[in-house]
Amino acid sequence: MHSVSGYVAQHKERFLEELFQGLRIPSVSSNSKGAAAMYQAADFFKGQLILAGADSATVMETEGWPVVFGQKQVGDDRPTVLVYGHYDVQPPEPLDEWKSPPFEPEVREHKIFARGADDDKGQLFMHLKALEYMVAEKCLPCNIKFLIEGEEEMGSPSLKAFCKQHQELLLADLILVSDTALYSLKQPTLTTGLRGLAYFELHVWGPQRDLHSGLYGGAVANPVNELAHILSQLKDREGRIRIPGFYECIQEPDLDELQQLRQLPFDEAAFAKGIGVPALAGEPGYSVVEQLGIRPSLDVNGIWGGYTGEGAKTILPARAMAKLSLRLVPGQEPVQVEELLRSYLHQIAAPGVAWELKALHGGNAYVVPWQGKGVQAAVRAMEQVLGVSPLPYHSGGSIPVIADFEEVLGQKAVLLGFGLESDAIHAPNENFPLENFYKGIETVAWFYHYYTLKQ
Ligand code: BES
Ligand code: MN
Ligand code: MN
């Protein structure tokens, strides 16, 4: 096992070249015309699984974009780990803000720059290369299955049904995922919580056509004004969500968990500086780590309506629309949140407009106990490779399918993420530091060692 760092050092250039091949494929799942790239990416990861030494790998159809499944069996008496990742990426726009084109990966300042470099092709690749090492050096101590989907960035609409349909194929003792971040390699964290998500579109309609704002303004409700009014009622000035009943079902984390989270020396000033905001804003009485990890949030993701072209156009627009996302914590469910929001909208929307709330996707929050066998194996692997014990961390992000796995496959997932907050995932100039990539490969290999070690 001690030879994994040597193996990585010996093959690091080739690892990078292979990852680059995957990063060149523009597998943007939300692009309905992107089928060619999606199948190309699925095929590419299938090929990489075989190259790494899997016994078999196949591209399987779903209701949506295909899934790649592969496995390496070493013995029926050995435990089985299911590795999950996603080959789809977020759209790269705005393109003119990229210093190098999003699908032409390059290394600058010891970082890989490309869409998907971190989220999730780069992190998924750590697992492929750890597999390659363990097969090549004949030290793979358990069975491995890979489930690589192409719809994570759109809320995994087909994966739950796929899992139900292929329960036996996906049977495992543990799920292992690298699709999160750590605080830093010097002060690593291991994610033990993810927030859930409820995503909506809110449409507001007024008159049947755009009106002259002089001839009608003052007598007719304006959908853009009304939408703005509604949105301003969703949170108070201090950041508390005003939807009645919204906080009622929350299951507070236990004290142990809270104390552990508070150990992280999170630098709030550096956090604000890193994203270029003059001050942070959030629910009073909670630290940033708590605001992100154990408290829900509500954000408008986009808003449009009316005239946005050059010059002035005096209209009273016919409609307006907003996209809204709520991050949820344990105890809250997307359908229940939808009901609460809907009742509140009935209460606050003006009678002069019609509105419709559409739920796009959602998922439950997730927590995994620190004392579990899989988490502890990950802790030891990080200690081994990084020389420091990781602290637990609750991430504000969501991977909705992780809670589905628990429900459908009956297993917890260990979130062995190697991204950094500064990796700019979903944004221009997404990147993944080479060191995180290479250390990640080593840590994954050590994970299997500790996970299968006889106590
Ligand atoms: N990998 C991210 C989630 C993530 C990133 C969790 C960093 C923790 C740390 C994932 O690909 C993602 O972007 N999830 C979406 C949800 C999805 C339904 C679009 C999210 O969190 O917005
Ligand atoms: Mn991801
Ligand atoms: Mn993502």
PDB file of all heavy atoms in Angstrom, residues 23 36 46 56-57 65 74 97 106 137 153 204 229 238 297 318 373 375 399 417 448:
ATOM      1  N   LEU A  23     -12.196  15.978 -20.077  1.00  0.00           N
ATOM      2  CA  LEU A  23     -12.597  17.374 -19.881  1.00  0.00           C
ATOM      3  C   LEU A  23     -12.895  18.075 -21.204  1.00  0.00           C
ATOM      4  O   LEU A  23     -13.571  19.102 -21.231  1.00  0.00           O
ATOM      5  CB  LEU A  23     -11.489  18.130 -19.130  1.00  0.00           C
ATOM      6  CG  LEU A  23     -11.287  17.715 -17.665  1.00  0.00           C
ATOM      7  CD1 LEU A  23     -10.052  18.401 -17.076  1.00  0.00           C
ATOM      8  CD2 LEU A  23     -12.519  18.039 -16.822  1.00  0.00           C
ATOM      9  N   ALA A  36     -24.943  14.025 -28.442  1.00  0.00           N
ATOM     10  CA  ALA A  36     -23.689  13.450 -28.948  1.00  0.00           C
ATOM     11  C   ALA A  36     -22.607  13.524 -27.873  1.00  0.00           C
ATOM     12  O   ALA A  36     -21.923  12.536 -27.588  1.00  0.00           O
ATOM     13  CB  ALA A  36     -23.250  14.184 -30.212  1.00  0.00           C
ATOM     14  N   LYS A  46     -16.715   4.748 -19.655  1.00  0.00           N
ATOM     15  CA  LYS A  46     -16.750   3.296 -19.798  1.00  0.00           C
ATOM     16  C   LYS A  46     -15.357   2.794 -20.203  1.00  0.00           C
ATOM     17  O   LYS A  46     -14.810   1.860 -19.606  1.00  0.00           O
ATOM     18  CB  LYS A  46     -17.800   2.904 -20.845  1.00  0.00           C
ATOM     19  CG  LYS A  46     -17.786   1.457 -21.238  1.00  0.00           C
ATOM     20  CD  LYS A  46     -18.721   1.200 -22.416  1.00  0.00           C
ATOM     21  CE  LYS A  46     -18.184   0.058 -23.264  1.00  0.00           C
ATOM     22  NZ  LYS A  46     -19.045  -0.204 -24.428  1.00  0.00           N
ATOM     23  N   SER A  56     -15.756  -5.359 -16.140  1.00  0.00           N
ATOM     24  CA  SER A  56     -16.736  -5.007 -17.157  1.00  0.00           C
ATOM     25  C   SER A  56     -17.195  -3.581 -16.946  1.00  0.00           C
ATOM     26  O   SER A  56     -17.131  -3.049 -15.832  1.00  0.00           O
ATOM     27  CB  SER A  56     -17.940  -5.947 -17.072  1.00  0.00           C
ATOM     28  OG  SER A  56     -18.551  -5.793 -15.803  1.00  0.00           O
ATOM     29  N   ALA A  57     -17.663  -2.972 -18.006  1.00  0.00           N
ATOM     30  CA  ALA A  57     -18.258  -1.631 -17.925  1.00  0.00           C
ATOM     31  C   ALA A  57     -19.242  -1.503 -19.068  1.00  0.00           C
ATOM     32  O   ALA A  57     -18.974  -1.955 -20.179  1.00  0.00           O
ATOM     33  CB  ALA A  57     -17.181  -0.560 -18.029  1.00  0.00           C
ATOM     34  N   TRP A  65     -30.390  10.923 -19.694  1.00  0.00           N
ATOM     35  CA  TRP A  65     -29.039  10.630 -20.173  1.00  0.00           C
ATOM     36  C   TRP A  65     -28.551   9.310 -19.582  1.00  0.00           C
ATOM     37  O   TRP A  65     -28.923   8.952 -18.462  1.00  0.00           O
ATOM     38  CB  TRP A  65     -28.078  11.776 -19.803  1.00  0.00           C
ATOM     39  CG  TRP A  65     -28.424  13.111 -20.402  1.00  0.00           C
ATOM     40  CD1 TRP A  65     -28.598  14.284 -19.728  1.00  0.00           C
ATOM     41  CD2 TRP A  65     -28.627  13.424 -21.793  1.00  0.00           C
ATOM     42  NE1 TRP A  65     -28.905  15.305 -20.594  1.00  0.00           N
ATOM     43  CE2 TRP A  65     -28.928  14.807 -21.874  1.00  0.00           C
ATOM     44  CE3 TRP A  65     -28.588  12.680 -22.980  1.00  0.00           C
ATOM     45  CZ2 TRP A  65     -29.184  15.457 -23.088  1.00  0.00           C
ATOM     46  CZ3 TRP A  65     -28.845  13.329 -24.181  1.00  0.00           C
ATOM     47  CH2 TRP A  65     -29.137  14.693 -24.219  1.00  0.00           C
ATOM     48  N   VAL A  74     -13.399  -9.067  -6.641  1.00  0.00           N
ATOM     49  CA  VAL A  74     -12.211  -9.812  -6.177  1.00  0.00           C
ATOM     50  C   VAL A  74     -12.573 -11.033  -5.339  1.00  0.00           C
ATOM     51  O   VAL A  74     -11.755 -11.915  -5.147  1.00  0.00           O
ATOM     52  CB  VAL A  74     -11.197  -8.923  -5.413  1.00  0.00           C
ATOM     53  CG1 VAL A  74     -10.587  -7.885  -6.336  1.00  0.00           C
ATOM     54  CG2 VAL A  74     -11.827  -8.260  -4.206  1.00  0.00           C
ATOM     55  N   GLU A  97     -15.807  35.296 -19.866  1.00  0.00           N
ATOM     56  CA  GLU A  97     -15.110  35.453 -18.581  1.00  0.00           C
ATOM     57  C   GLU A  97     -14.069  34.356 -18.321  1.00  0.00           C
ATOM     58  O   GLU A  97     -13.371  34.372 -17.318  1.00  0.00           O
ATOM     59  CB  GLU A  97     -16.126  35.512 -17.435  1.00  0.00           C
ATOM     60  CG  GLU A  97     -16.860  36.846 -17.424  1.00  0.00           C
ATOM     61  CD  GLU A  97     -17.800  36.997 -16.256  1.00  0.00           C
ATOM     62  OE1 GLU A  97     -17.528  36.425 -15.178  1.00  0.00           O
ATOM     63  OE2 GLU A  97     -18.841  37.667 -16.426  1.00  0.00           O
ATOM     64  N   GLU A 106      -6.311  23.277 -19.442  1.00  0.00           N
ATOM     65  CA  GLU A 106      -4.884  23.582 -19.347  1.00  0.00           C
ATOM     66  C   GLU A 106      -4.484  23.784 -17.897  1.00  0.00           C
ATOM     67  O   GLU A 106      -5.328  24.051 -17.038  1.00  0.00           O
ATOM     68  CB  GLU A 106      -4.514  24.796 -20.212  1.00  0.00           C
ATOM     69  CG  GLU A 106      -5.127  26.111 -19.778  1.00  0.00           C
ATOM     70  CD  GLU A 106      -4.563  27.299 -20.582  1.00  0.00           C
ATOM     71  OE1 GLU A 106      -4.543  27.225 -21.812  1.00  0.00           O
ATOM     72  OE2 GLU A 106      -4.170  28.299 -19.938  1.00  0.00           O
ATOM     73  N   GLU A 137      -1.228  -3.194  -9.000  1.00  0.00           N
ATOM     74  CA  GLU A 137      -0.364  -3.674  -7.921  1.00  0.00           C
ATOM     75  C   GLU A 137      -1.008  -4.822  -7.144  1.00  0.00           C
ATOM     76  O   GLU A 137      -0.513  -5.212  -6.088  1.00  0.00           O
ATOM     77  CB  GLU A 137      -0.020  -2.523  -6.966  1.00  0.00           C
ATOM     78  CG  GLU A 137       0.691  -1.348  -7.622  1.00  0.00           C
ATOM     79  CD  GLU A 137       2.101  -1.668  -8.081  1.00  0.00           C
ATOM     80  OE1 GLU A 137       2.886  -2.234  -7.282  1.00  0.00           O
ATOM     81  OE2 GLU A 137       2.413  -1.367  -9.259  1.00  0.00           O
ATOM     82  N   GLU A 153     -26.376  17.423 -12.500  1.00  0.00           N
ATOM     83  CA  GLU A 153     -26.516  18.885 -12.522  1.00  0.00           C
ATOM     84  C   GLU A 153     -27.929  19.343 -12.881  1.00  0.00           C
ATOM     85  O   GLU A 153     -28.234  20.525 -12.857  1.00  0.00           O
ATOM     86  CB  GLU A 153     -25.492  19.518 -13.474  1.00  0.00           C
ATOM     87  CG  GLU A 153     -24.028  19.249 -13.107  1.00  0.00           C
ATOM     88  CD  GLU A 153     -23.573  19.918 -11.810  1.00  0.00           C
ATOM     89  OE1 GLU A 153     -24.397  20.518 -11.107  1.00  0.00           O
ATOM     90  OE2 GLU A 153     -22.374  19.810 -11.498  1.00  0.00           O
ATOM     91  N   VAL A 204     -45.680  35.136 -12.874  1.00  0.00           N
ATOM     92  CA  VAL A 204     -46.720  36.102 -12.523  1.00  0.00           C
ATOM     93  C   VAL A 204     -47.263  36.718 -13.815  1.00  0.00           C
ATOM     94  O   VAL A 204     -46.484  37.167 -14.658  1.00  0.00           O
ATOM     95  CB  VAL A 204     -46.159  37.213 -11.596  1.00  0.00           C
ATOM     96  CG1 VAL A 204     -47.228  38.267 -11.315  1.00  0.00           C
ATOM     97  CG2 VAL A 204     -45.650  36.613 -10.283  1.00  0.00           C
ATOM     98  N   HIS A 229     -42.515  42.528  -5.217  1.00  0.00           N
ATOM     99  CA  HIS A 229     -43.144  42.611  -3.902  1.00  0.00           C
ATOM    100  C   HIS A 229     -43.172  41.232  -3.235  1.00  0.00           C
ATOM    101  O   HIS A 229     -42.805  41.087  -2.063  1.00  0.00           O
ATOM    102  CB  HIS A 229     -44.560  43.168  -4.030  1.00  0.00           C
ATOM    103  CG  HIS A 229     -45.319  43.143  -2.747  1.00  0.00           C
ATOM    104  ND1 HIS A 229     -45.110  44.057  -1.742  1.00  0.00           N
ATOM    105  CD2 HIS A 229     -46.249  42.273  -2.284  1.00  0.00           C
ATOM    106  CE1 HIS A 229     -45.875  43.772  -0.716  1.00  0.00           C
ATOM    107  NE2 HIS A 229     -46.591  42.697  -1.021  1.00  0.00           N
ATOM    108  N   GLU A 238     -33.009  40.702   7.965  1.00  0.00           N
ATOM    109  CA  GLU A 238     -31.875  40.047   8.612  1.00  0.00           C
ATOM    110  C   GLU A 238     -31.578  38.672   8.023  1.00  0.00           C
ATOM    111  O   GLU A 238     -30.618  38.031   8.415  1.00  0.00           O
ATOM    112  CB  GLU A 238     -32.137  39.940  10.116  1.00  0.00           C
ATOM    113  CG  GLU A 238     -32.153  41.306  10.767  1.00  0.00           C
ATOM    114  CD  GLU A 238     -31.952  41.204  12.257  1.00  0.00           C
ATOM    115  OE1 GLU A 238     -32.923  40.813  12.924  1.00  0.00           O
ATOM    116  OE2 GLU A 238     -30.841  41.486  12.720  1.00  0.00           O
ATOM    117  N   SER A 297     -31.744  27.996   3.643  1.00  0.00           N
ATOM    118  CA  SER A 297     -31.592  29.294   2.991  1.00  0.00           C
ATOM    119  C   SER A 297     -32.570  29.412   1.835  1.00  0.00           C
ATOM    120  O   SER A 297     -33.137  28.414   1.387  1.00  0.00           O
ATOM    121  CB  SER A 297     -30.155  29.481   2.489  1.00  0.00           C
ATOM    122  OG  SER A 297     -29.872  28.539   1.478  1.00  0.00           O
ATOM    123  N   ALA A 318     -46.597  42.257 -19.514  1.00  0.00           N
ATOM    124  CA  ALA A 318     -47.666  41.286 -19.323  1.00  0.00           C
ATOM    125  C   ALA A 318     -47.299  40.214 -18.306  1.00  0.00           C
ATOM    126  O   ALA A 318     -48.175  39.608 -17.695  1.00  0.00           O
ATOM    127  CB  ALA A 318     -48.012  40.633 -20.658  1.00  0.00           C
ATOM    128  N   LYS A 373     -18.196   3.171  10.145  1.00  0.00           N
ATOM    129  CA  LYS A 373     -16.992   2.481   9.684  1.00  0.00           C
ATOM    130  C   LYS A 373     -16.393   3.150   8.437  1.00  0.00           C
ATOM    131  O   LYS A 373     -15.184   3.346   8.346  1.00  0.00           O
ATOM    132  CB  LYS A 373     -17.376   1.026   9.372  1.00  0.00           C
ATOM    133  CG  LYS A 373     -16.213   0.140   9.092  1.00  0.00           C
ATOM    134  CD  LYS A 373     -16.638  -1.315   8.905  1.00  0.00           C
ATOM    135  CE  LYS A 373     -15.465  -2.056   8.290  1.00  0.00           C
ATOM    136  NZ  LYS A 373     -15.833  -3.303   7.655  1.00  0.00           N
ATOM    137  N   VAL A 375     -16.829   6.293   7.321  1.00  0.00           N
ATOM    138  CA  VAL A 375     -16.302   7.632   7.630  1.00  0.00           C
ATOM    139  C   VAL A 375     -14.961   7.508   8.347  1.00  0.00           C
ATOM    140  O   VAL A 375     -14.003   8.224   8.034  1.00  0.00           O
ATOM    141  CB  VAL A 375     -17.319   8.454   8.462  1.00  0.00           C
ATOM    142  CG1 VAL A 375     -16.678   9.729   8.989  1.00  0.00           C
ATOM    143  CG2 VAL A 375     -18.541   8.790   7.620  1.00  0.00           C
ATOM    144  N   ILE A 399     -26.478  17.122  -3.049  1.00  0.00           N
ATOM    145  CA  ILE A 399     -26.406  16.040  -4.037  1.00  0.00           C
ATOM    146  C   ILE A 399     -27.631  15.184  -3.748  1.00  0.00           C
ATOM    147  O   ILE A 399     -27.570  14.214  -3.000  1.00  0.00           O
ATOM    148  CB  ILE A 399     -25.102  15.210  -3.905  1.00  0.00           C
ATOM    149  CG1 ILE A 399     -23.866  16.129  -3.827  1.00  0.00           C
ATOM    150  CG2 ILE A 399     -24.966  14.249  -5.091  1.00  0.00           C
ATOM    151  CD1 ILE A 399     -22.549  15.393  -3.594  1.00  0.00           C
ATOM    152  N   GLY A 417     -14.621  14.287  -0.420  1.00  0.00           N
ATOM    153  CA  GLY A 417     -14.428  15.332  -1.427  1.00  0.00           C
ATOM    154  C   GLY A 417     -13.053  15.963  -1.330  1.00  0.00           C
ATOM    155  O   GLY A 417     -12.529  16.166  -0.235  1.00  0.00           O
ATOM    156  N   TYR A 448      -9.527   2.274   0.869  1.00  0.00           N
ATOM    157  CA  TYR A 448      -9.858   0.841   0.740  1.00  0.00           C
ATOM    158  C   TYR A 448      -9.047   0.001   1.713  1.00  0.00           C
ATOM    159  O   TYR A 448      -9.537  -0.974   2.268  1.00  0.00           O
ATOM    160  CB  TYR A 448      -9.635   0.371  -0.703  1.00  0.00           C
ATOM    161  CG  TYR A 448     -10.683   0.923  -1.626  1.00  0.00           C
ATOM    162  CD1 TYR A 448     -10.436   2.028  -2.430  1.00  0.00           C
ATOM    163  CD2 TYR A 448     -11.956   0.359  -1.664  1.00  0.00           C
ATOM    164  CE1 TYR A 448     -11.414   2.554  -3.252  1.00  0.00           C
ATOM    165  CE2 TYR A 448     -12.953   0.878  -2.488  1.00  0.00           C
ATOM    166  CZ  TYR A 448     -12.670   1.982  -3.283  1.00  0.00           C
ATOM    167  OH  TYR A 448     -13.647   2.501  -4.074  1.00  0.00           O
TER     168      TYR A 448
END
